[in-house]
């Protein structure tokens, strides 16, 4: 299998709300091109350009795996014409039953119609295994291939992994913290929701050196930017 992060997410939150750029990853396994967490329309153009740079288009994608139905991870699942979209059954039920979660796209399962494939913990496709990691949302789902675990916002930031505690949980904080510890016990390499992929060696967590957070901001008017760093 070959995998790479097509667009690197950023660990960034503003006083106006969350700036939702997640890690968007390509997984090539069993002759299939799969996207894990396709992002949202705000990074659609960048995603298309990233695919083009490696000789792929949206029509070359066979499947899209959505870790959870928050807008910043899921909306671009609509742009792949041939792809099945894999979401945990528990997450679909969570979205459709009328949750107060402010970021859930509860209409997305209906829009996807026949493309939607609801999966459960332990299900496998193309050499990948689905692992339920609830807490951030009710049905947040990781995907494991060999020793690489893609976790979505079950682990949002490297700091969450180091603390073994979540920054955000919209469903259940205790389950979210349990899922962090479970994920860290399974994967040797973790691709988190909004931060640099990292490797685990015992209790040591180290960012993968080939990735680096970078955000270029273009300002159109006079805007006062106050930067606060959290580690």
């Amino acid at each position: 299998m070959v995998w790479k992060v097509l667009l690197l997410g950023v660990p960034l939150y503003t006083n106006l709300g969350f700036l939702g750029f997640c890690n968007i990853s390509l997984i090539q396994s069993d002759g299939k091109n799969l996207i894990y967490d396709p992002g949202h329309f705000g990074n659609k153009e960048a995603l298309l350009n990233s695919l083009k740079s490696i000789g792929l288009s949206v029509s070359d994608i066979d499947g899209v795996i959505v870790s959870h139905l928050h807008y910043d991870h899921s909306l671009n699942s609509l742009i792949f014409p041939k792809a099945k979209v894999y979401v945990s059954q528990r997450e679909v039920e969570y979205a459709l039953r009328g949750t107060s979660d402010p970021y859930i796209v509860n209409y997305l399962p209906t829009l996807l119609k026949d493309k939607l494939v609801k999966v459960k913990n332990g299900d496998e496709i193309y050499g990948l295994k689905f692992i339920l990691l609830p807490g951030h949302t009710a049905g947040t789902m990781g995907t494991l291939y060999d020793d690489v675990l893609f976790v979505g916002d079950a682990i949002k930031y490297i700091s969450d992994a180091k603390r073994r505690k979540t920054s955000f949980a919209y469903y259940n904080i205790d389950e979210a913290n349990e899922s962090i510890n479970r994920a860290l016990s399974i994967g040797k390499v973790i691709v988190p929701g909004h931060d640099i992929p990292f490797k685990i060696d015992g209790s040591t967590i180290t960012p993968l050196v080939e990735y680096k957070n970078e955000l270029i901001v273009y300002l159109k008017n006079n805007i006062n930017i106050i930067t606060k760093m959290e580690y």
Side-chain angles (χ1 to χ4, degrees):
M1 185 203 76
V2 176
W3 71 273
K4 68 175 295 183
V5 177
L6 295 173
L7 294 181
L8 189 64
V10 291
L12 187 63
Y13 196 89
T14 78
N15 64 313
L16 297 179
F18 181 62
L19 187 61
F21 294 122
C22 71
N23 283 322
I24 303 176
S25 301
L26 173 70
I27 306 170
Q28 295 178 310
S29 183
D30 282 2
K32 302 295 184 180
N33 294 314
L34 306 163
I35 297 290
Y36 184 88
D37 277 356
H40 63 94
F41 294 162
N43 50 15
K44 175 182 174 181
E45 183 178 9
L47 173 57
L48 296 176
N49 289 337
S50 183
L51 286 170
K52 185 178 180 180
S53 72
I54 57 175
L56 296 176
S57 73
V58 292
S59 296
D60 296 313
I61 302 303
D62 302 291
V64 174
I65 301 168
V66 175
S67 67
H68 63 297
L69 288 170
H70 280 170
Y71 81 97
D72 54 317
H73 292 254
S74 64
L75 278 176
N76 279 338
S77 59
L78 295 166
I79 71 173
F80 301 96
K82 299 179 181 179
K84 294 291 186 181
V85 180
Y86 301 88
V87 186
S88 78
Q89 179 174 324
R90 187 174 176 185
E91 185 73 356
V92 173
E93 293 169 352
Y94 172 70
L96 295 181
R97 72 175 177 235
T99 174
S100 61
D101 187 330
Y103 298 116
I104 281 286
V105 188
N106 56 6
Y107 55 82
L108 189 57
T110 301
L111 288 180
L112 291 170
K113 296 180 180 178
D114 295 337
K115 294 165 63 78
L116 182 66
V117 180
K118 291 179 281 187
V119 298
K120 298 179 181 179
N121 184 56
D123 286 352
E124 297 187 17
I125 58 163
Y126 310 125
L128 309 174
K129 184 176 182 179
F130 297 122
I131 297 176
L132 199 62
L133 298 169
H136 182 75
T137 65
T140 297
M141 183 177 67
T143 298
L144 178 69
Y145 184 88
D146 196 10
D147 58 0
V148 181
L149 183 60
F150 302 82
V151 298
D153 284 355
I155 301 178
K156 204 174 178 75
Y157 311 123
I158 291 178
S159 58
D160 290 359
K162 290 182 176 180
R163 294 183 299 114
R164 265 66 172 179
K165 291 183 179 180
T166 186
S167 297
F168 296 92
Y170 297 95
Y171 176 68
N172 185 295
I173 193 165
D174 291 330
E175 287 190 30
N177 290 335
E178 289 173 5
S179 289
I180 288 175
N181 284 287
R182 184 183 182 206
L184 294 175
S185 72
I186 294 172
K188 292 184 178 179
V189 174
I190 301 285
V191 182
H194 294 266
D195 210 341
I196 298 169
F198 58 88
K199 59 184 178 180
I200 303 168
D201 184 7
S203 61
T204 302
I205 292 173
T206 308
L208 295 184
V209 296
E210 59 262 43
Y211 293 104
K212 182 179 180 181
N213 278 128
E214 183 175 79
L215 181 67
I216 301 173
V217 180
Y218 298 94
L219 302 179
K220 296 296 185 182
N221 295 293
N222 291 327
I223 299 175
N224 184 28
I225 296 182
I226 302 172
T227 302
K228 296 181 179 180
M229 300 298 293
E230 179 181 324
Y231 297 96

